[in-house]
Amino acid sequence: MHTVKHWFNDSLIGQGLLVLGLGVGLNALLRHDDPPAMWLVQGVVFTVVAMVAIVLQRRRMSRVTGASPGAIAGLMRKIRHHEVPRDPRERAVMRRLVGDQLGKIERGERWLPYWLGAMGLVAVGLLVLGFTGGALGYSLFFAVFAAAFCVWLLWTRRRTLHLYRDMRRALREQG
């Protein structure tokens, strides 16, 4: 299991196969009336869009840090495991990576209340429509899903901020 997890983390092919499988599976589940060829075509479109986004993100992180995408994946793994690199050059790259990621998260903080508010308004609107239209089950499911998603988003953001701030502090202490 450990090597499969690393393969999905490091390999664009692995990530693409995962997105393709999820895309085809979700299309088969949600659009069971469509022919299987349509599921595959839509899955491929989803995969292409997701892989372009992943490649652009990797390229941007490579440009910012000056390291290869494989090295960045290794550094991200070290950050998650609270490991400070011993090599000074690797520490410098990690310092740039942590600074960039912290900056992105902190810049996004300004828009977070608006996104959460918009999710809440959509959930409340769907609840009202479901109540007036008689289909309360779907709208209640969506409202619970939206609330759980927002809580998960806030928890993940807080955990990630704590992780990056701890790593920044450890990097400062090391060198």
Side-chain angles (χ1 to χ4, degrees):
M1 183 65 179
H2 185 65
T3 55
V4 171
K5 191 169 132 180
H6 285 280
W7 183 64
F8 279 128
N9 191 32
D10 297 341
S11 169
L12 281 175
I13 294 171
Q15 292 169 3
L17 290 174
L18 179 67
V19 171
L20 180 65
L22 286 173
V24 171
L26 284 174
N27 273 320
L29 184 67
L30 298 174
R31 299 173 183 239
H32 49 81
D33 295 336
D34 290 346
M38 194 61 162
W39 303 340
L40 187 62
V41 167
Q42 289 175 342
V44 168
V45 169
F46 295 153
T47 303
V48 167
V49 169
M51 296 315 297
V52 165
I54 289 171
V55 166
L56 290 175
Q57 179 187 13
R58 281 183 164 203
R59 184 176 295 162
R60 182 194 165 280
M61 289 176 71
S62 258
R63 218 176 24 248
V64 166
T65 60
S68 70
I72 291 172
L75 289 174
M76 295 296 272
R77 193 175 307 116
K78 285 183 179 184
I79 291 171
R80 284 191 304 272
H81 293 271
H82 304 284
E83 298 173 13
V84 178
R86 298 191 190 284
D87 182 28
R89 288 180 22 204
E90 195 175 14
R91 268 198 314 267
V93 171
M94 185 179 276
R95 201 173 286 121
R96 287 191 298 268
L97 178 63
V98 167
D100 178 58
Q101 295 299 311
L102 266 174
K104 278 186 358 185
I105 293 171
E106 289 168 351
R107 281 189 305 273
E109 183 176 5
R110 176 180 59 187
W111 295 100
L112 187 63
Y114 300 111
W115 284 109
L116 294 175
M119 292 268 301
L121 282 175
V122 168
V124 167
L126 283 175
L127 274 175
V128 168
L129 287 174
F131 184 71
T132 58
L136 191 60
Y138 288 121
S139 58
L140 188 62
F141 172 76
F142 180 78
V144 169
F145 175 78
F149 180 73
C150 289
V151 168
W152 173 81
L153 183 73
L154 290 171
W155 176 77
T156 302
R157 185 184 175 284
R158 182 176 179 197
R159 194 182 101 217
T160 304
L161 272 171
H162 179 70
L163 188 66
Y164 283 132
R165 286 177 179 157
D166 281 351
M167 185 52 71
R168 182 174 58 186
R169 190 176 318 110
L171 286 168
R172 283 183 184 157
E173 291 171 2
Q174 286 274 329

